[in-house]
Structure formats: C-alpha cells, structure tokens
Amino acid sequence: MGLLSKAGSTTEWPFYAKRPLTHPEQVLYHRLVRALPEHIVLAQVQVSRVLGVKKGYNFGEWNNRINRLSYDFVICAKDATVLAAVELDDKTHERSDRKATDDKKNRATAAAGVRLLRWNVKAFPDETAIRSAFATTAASVAPSVAQVAPPTAT
C-alpha cells in the first residue's frame, strides 16, 4: 500500500517487520521473566526513557549523549520503578567503538543511581543466578556496573 507524497504521487515505504530481540536476547528475556515474576521485564528500552537530565543542566546537550543508546533489558518493580538495567554483551563489545559506547552508557547509568548488570552471551545466567543478582541489587545502595559471570545454564 502506497502513501501520498507531497507531490501527490504514491510512494512505497521500504520497511518490513523484524524481530526486536536476537536469539540470545530472547533466551535471556524468558529466563528473566521466569526468575523475576514479581517484576516487570522490559526489552530494548531507550536509555532516555529511563534516565532524565537534572534541572540546571542543558537538556539538549546532555540528552544528546544518551538519546541513541538502549538497554537490552530494564527490570522494574510492579510500580514501574527502575531497579536495574541489563546488558547482554557479545564479541562486538570488544571493538573500540563499542567500548566507548558502553563506557558512555555505564557512566550515565551510574550517575543516575541505576544498577547496570552486564552478562556475557557466552556465560548466560540461569534463573537461580538471576534471582541472586537481583537479591543483591535490591540490597545494594550504591549504583554500580557489575560484570556478572554466572555459570552457564544447560
């Protein structure tokens, strides 16, 4: 189905629906949901939907630093209070450009007081490890970036 352009002609838009989660992200999503039934698990969330710019700072300047970043998952309490963000890192996170992006995300998340858990795609946490990580998150006061290397689930 075409859309009417300014000139009055019909132009097809070149979009197709695709899966928003990779296979490893789908596996982790389902584990998060099973391990944390009392929480809301959100996937592929823009960082700017989770972090705000404090009053007194230039909104445009600071928001531009995070507006194209996303978290793989955000874990919330039932009232939608953000408890933690989760990143699933693969080999692409070893590239220098990705390291710089990850550093930016780490710094912004820590500055907001949100815990960021990073799990490597080669060391998926099982449901017990996920519950344990979130028991630690609930007890933690200071924000941090945790490199979590739980046992690989079968």
Side-chain angles (χ1 to χ4, degrees):
M1 170 178 262
L3 296 176
L4 206 53
S5 72
K6 287 182 183 179
S9 66
T10 302
T11 305
E12 292 291 327
W13 286 31
F15 298 109
Y16 65 94
K18 59 184 193 171
R19 293 181 185 196
L21 300 178
T22 64
H23 178 69
E25 290 169 339
Q26 290 175 49
V27 171
L28 183 56
Y29 173 80
H30 291 292
R31 286 185 190 175
L32 287 165
V33 169
R34 284 191 307 268
L36 305 169
E38 68 285 1
H39 296 79
I40 299 169
V41 178
L42 304 173
Q44 298 300 325
V45 180
Q46 284 184 311
V47 172
S48 61
R49 297 289 297 167
V50 177
L51 307 183
V53 177
K54 294 176 183 175
K55 291 184 187 209
Y57 291 85
N58 182 312
F59 176 83
E61 176 187 343
W62 287 97
N63 194 63
N64 281 343
R65 294 180 188 208
I66 63 167
N67 71 352
R68 292 194 177 191
L69 303 178
S70 65
Y71 295 119
D72 291 329
F73 304 99
V74 173
I75 311 303
C76 301
K78 287 293 185 184
D79 68 356
T81 300
V82 175
L83 301 176
V86 176
E87 285 290 296
L88 186 58
D89 294 343
D90 59 17
K91 65 182 177 182
T92 65
H93 289 260
E94 297 169 11
R95 295 188 334 234
S96 61
D97 62 325
R98 285 300 296 267
K99 285 181 181 181
T101 299
D102 286 348
D103 182 56
K104 189 186 326 182
K105 192 181 303 184
N106 294 346
R107 291 180 66 191
T109 306
V114 174
R115 183 141 187 227
L116 178 59
L117 298 169
R118 287 189 172 277
W119 283 313
N120 190 289
V121 72
K122 292 182 181 177
F124 266 70
D126 60 18
E127 291 174 36
T128 302
I130 291 168
R131 279 190 290 276
S132 176
F134 281 89
T136 303
T137 298
S140 121
V141 176
S144 66
V145 175
Q147 298 287 339
V148 183
T152 304
T154 56

